[in-house]
């Protein structure tokens, strides 16, 4: 029996996926539920498992965009599993493709007719088609720098797409190789969304600084007991998440979004956390963070980060957030202006912690300082709310015992 494997729907709004990598080869024997391919959607990379055991025949190549419901491979379920580590061989030997040659009849003493003639140079040589002209303009390339492959040397759209901008003089002592590779569907979608946010929102960023010494002191004193009790580390994300939840309750406009002519204000706090995965940036969501303790937040952050790292994160786990926290500090960023994650209206950027001189009680002291940034949509969030929100986050982080733990550290950390 030949089983037709079709692309399942990864999510409600997804109509097309891209074959990122085949994990098996054509003619391999696959087991039921064995991962056979990685497919990219515009939201995540997912594994495609074999629906039955048998010999597989691939019907799509890596890089192909295929519609949801399309056939991507066939599985011969009646084929016997090969013994040992041998893969089954095709019963028919495939012929090597032979180069196609043009017929060149030679009657009497005539010479073969030459087929590949040089293109004729005319007034149209080097002229770009309208589509090619648009592509070249976007790349900043002059038509004169492109060799046309169209009729009489005309520049086609493919010529323009494949044209590479000049990188200066080619007279160099070192290597000047370039690599051209297609972006994944996920990366293309991220790029599209980021440009849309910049163009469609009135994005503004406000900054502040946080003295992290109180959190440093708490972690130094309690991190071992916390890890021993809960099997998870006491990191910075729990402090930031709970400080953000408190600030969102104080300034609910920051926890809202625009829907046409309406402003939708959420009374729940689903906090998106930006994490780096093998396929790029992913933003899983901590659901109802207002109901979580320090242990709950740290456990959820660890769970989501591991799933993102292992490529197991699902679409549902990355949709529906109401506010985002991103930590560029783990890569060494001192300061940045994070871009809003639509349709949300605010994002908090964390940065690296550096010992800096600050004034306390008229004295200069050294403290671990983190710069924080809040990017927000000025269409529905005014300066008062944005600045007030960030000040509230700062207060929660600089006075964690009083504000985030209600003056009871052991109870708050459940140790």
């Amino acid at each position: 029996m030949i089983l037709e494997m079709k692309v399942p729907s990864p999510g409600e709004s997804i109509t097309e996926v891209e074959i990122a990598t085949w994990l098996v080869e054509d003619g391999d024997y696959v087991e039921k539920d064995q991962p056979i391919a990685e497919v990219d959607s515009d939201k995540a990379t997912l594994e495609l498992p074999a629906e039955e055991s048998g010999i597989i025949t691939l019907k799509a190549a890596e890089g192909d965009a295929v519609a949801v419901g399309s056939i991507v491979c066939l599985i011969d379920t009646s084929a016997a599993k090969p013994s040992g580590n041998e893969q089954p061989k095709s019963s028919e030997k495939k012929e090597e493709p032979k180069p196609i040659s043009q017929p060149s009849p030679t009657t009497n003493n005539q010479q073969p007719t030459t087929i590949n003639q040089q293109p004729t140079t005319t007034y149209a040589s080097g002229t770009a088609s309208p589509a090619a002209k648009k592509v070249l303009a976007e790349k900043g390339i002059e038509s004169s720098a492109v060799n046309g492959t169209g009729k009489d040397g005309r520049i086609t759209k493919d010529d323009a797409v494949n044209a590479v901008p000049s990188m200066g003089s080619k007279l160099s002592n070192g290597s000047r190789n370039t690599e051209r590779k297609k972006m994944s569907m996920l990366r293309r979608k991220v790029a599209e969304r980021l440009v849309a946010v910049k163009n469609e929102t009135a994005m503004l960023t406000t900054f502040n600084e946080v003295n992290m010494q109180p959190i440093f002191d708490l972690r130094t004193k309690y991190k071992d007991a916390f890890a021993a009790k809960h099997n998870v580390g006491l990191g910075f994300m729990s402090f930031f998440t709970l400080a953000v939840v408190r600030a969102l309750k104080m300034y609910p406009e920051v926890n809202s979004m625009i829907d046409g002519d309406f402003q939708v204000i959420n009374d729940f706090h689903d906090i998106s956390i930006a994490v780096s995965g093998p396929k790029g940036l992913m933003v899983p969501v901590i659901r109802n963070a207002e109901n979580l303790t320090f242990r709950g937040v740290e456990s959820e952050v660890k769970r989501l980060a591991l799933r993102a790292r292992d490529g197991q994160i699902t679409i549902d786990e990355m949709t529906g957030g109401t506010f985002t926290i991103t930590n560029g500090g783990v890569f060494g960023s001192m300061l940045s202006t994070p871009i809003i994650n639509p349709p949300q209206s605010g994002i908090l950027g964390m940065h690296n912690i550096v010992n800096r001189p600050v004034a306390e009680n008229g004295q200069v002291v050294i403290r671990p300082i983190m710069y924080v940034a809040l990017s927000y949509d000025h269409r529905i969030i005014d300066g008062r709310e944005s600045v007030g929100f960030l000040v509230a986050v700062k207060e929660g982080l600089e006075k964690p015992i009083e504000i985030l733990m209600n003056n009871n550290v052991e109870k708050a950390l459940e140790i």
Side-chain angles (χ1 to χ4, degrees):
M1 175 182 174
I2 302 298
L3 171 69
E4 296 179 341
M5 269 199 61
K6 300 179 180 180
V7 178
S9 176
E12 183 178 348
S13 62
I14 299 174
T15 60
E16 185 180 68
V17 299
E18 187 174 281
I19 304 297
T21 307
W22 280 109
L23 304 178
V24 296
E25 295 183 0
D26 194 58
D28 281 357
Y29 185 91
V30 297
E31 300 282 358
K32 183 179 180 180
D33 296 328
Q34 173 187 343
I36 59 174
E38 290 182 351
V39 295
D40 282 343
S41 72
D42 57 15
K43 294 182 179 178
T45 298
L46 306 171
E47 284 188 344
L48 185 66
E51 295 178 4
E52 294 292 344
S53 300
I55 295 176
I56 191 168
T57 302
L58 308 184
K59 291 296 183 181
E62 291 184 358
D64 283 357
V66 292
V68 170
S70 298
I71 299 172
V72 289
C73 66
L74 305 177
I75 299 179
D76 183 358
T77 59
S78 60
K81 183 177 181 179
S83 59
N85 294 324
E86 293 184 8
Q87 288 292 344
K89 305 294 182 183
S90 175
S91 58
E92 297 181 3
K93 183 177 180 181
K94 296 181 180 179
E95 293 185 359
E96 292 294 328
K98 298 179 180 179
I100 300 174
S101 57
Q102 295 288 345
S104 51
T106 56
T107 56
N108 299 329
N109 293 324
Q110 291 181 346
Q111 295 296 322
T113 304
T114 302
I115 301 299
N116 296 324
Q117 297 182 348
Q118 293 297 322
T120 305
T121 301
T122 69
Y123 69 93
S125 300
T127 301
S129 69
K133 189 178 296 183
K134 180 180 179 182
V135 174
L136 292 177
E138 291 173 350
K139 291 185 173 184
I141 302 176
E142 297 292 335
S143 299
S144 58
V146 181
N147 293 324
T149 61
K151 183 178 180 182
D152 296 335
R154 287 178 173 86
I155 300 173
T156 66
K157 183 180 179 181
D158 285 342
D159 296 332
V161 169
N162 294 325
V164 178
S166 173
M167 301 300 291
S169 172
K170 294 184 179 179
L171 299 176
S172 173
N173 294 327
S175 172
R176 296 177 62 80
N177 296 326
T178 58
E179 179 186 2
R180 182 183 178 88
K181 65 178 183 178
K182 188 176 182 180
M183 293 189 296
S184 68
M185 184 176 287
L186 174 61
R187 174 55 62 184
R188 297 199 302 270
K189 188 63 177 181
V190 168
E192 178 185 316
R193 286 165 63 89
L194 292 179
V195 172
V197 170
K198 296 286 285 185
N199 293 336
E200 298 171 7
T201 66
M203 196 175 78
L204 194 63
T205 306
T206 185
F207 305 93
N208 215 316
E209 63 179 15
V210 177
N211 177 6
M212 298 292 290
Q213 190 64 56
I215 294 178
F216 271 41
D217 294 341
L218 277 170
R219 293 182 70 242
T220 299
K221 185 174 181 180
Y222 295 102
K223 64 180 181 180
D224 292 339
F226 187 87
K229 179 69 178 292
H230 306 302
N231 195 31
V232 66
L234 179 61
F236 295 117
M237 281 304 300
S238 55
F239 290 93
F240 271 84
T241 300
L242 296 180
V244 161
V245 167
R246 171 181 175 268
L248 290 175
K249 291 178 180 178
M250 296 171 63
Y251 298 94
E253 293 84 358
V254 185
N255 199 44
S256 67
M257 58 190 67
I258 290 180
D259 182 13
D261 294 333
F262 295 88
Q263 178 181 5
V264 180
I265 301 176
N266 304 296
D267 66 353
F268 55 91
H269 305 89
D270 287 353
I271 306 301
S272 305
I273 53 170
V275 297
S276 180
K279 296 292 184 178
L281 186 68
M282 296 183 178
V283 193
V285 181
I286 301 175
R287 306 287 181 191
N288 290 104
E290 72 275 9
N291 297 329
L292 297 180
T293 61
F294 283 84
R295 176 186 60 83
V297 173
E298 293 293 352
S299 298
E300 190 66 0
V301 168
K302 179 180 178 180
R303 183 186 73 84
L304 293 171
L306 289 175
R307 287 179 61 79
R309 184 198 67 185
D310 297 338
Q312 299 176 342
I313 204 79
T314 66
I315 300 296
D316 289 340
E317 289 174 313
M318 294 193 295
T319 55
T322 62
F323 186 86
T324 295
I325 301 175
T326 180
N327 185 6
V330 296
F331 305 110
S333 172
M334 181 188 77
L335 195 60
S336 67
T337 55
I339 298 179
I340 297 169
N341 180 22
Q344 300 171 18
S345 299
I347 179 172
L348 178 71
M350 301 165 58
H351 300 91
N352 63 353
I353 302 170
V354 178
N355 285 330
R356 304 183 188 278
V358 296
E360 287 184 3
N361 302 319
Q363 300 292 323
V364 176
V365 294
I366 304 299
R367 293 288 183 258
I369 301 296
M370 175 191 285
Y371 294 142
V372 290
L374 172 71
S375 291
Y376 60 98
D377 191 344
H378 209 347
R379 293 178 298 171
I380 55 174
I381 302 173
D382 293 328
R384 173 185 171 274
E385 286 78 20
S386 62
V387 174
F389 171 88
L390 200 54
V391 168
V393 171
K394 173 183 170 70
E395 291 172 347
L397 296 173
E398 292 187 338
K399 298 179 179 179
I401 296 177
E402 297 90 333
I403 295 177
L404 302 181
M405 298 178 169
N406 293 321
N407 292 306
N408 192 332
V409 178
E410 285 78 9
K411 182 178 178 180
L413 298 181
E414 301 174 71
I415 55 177

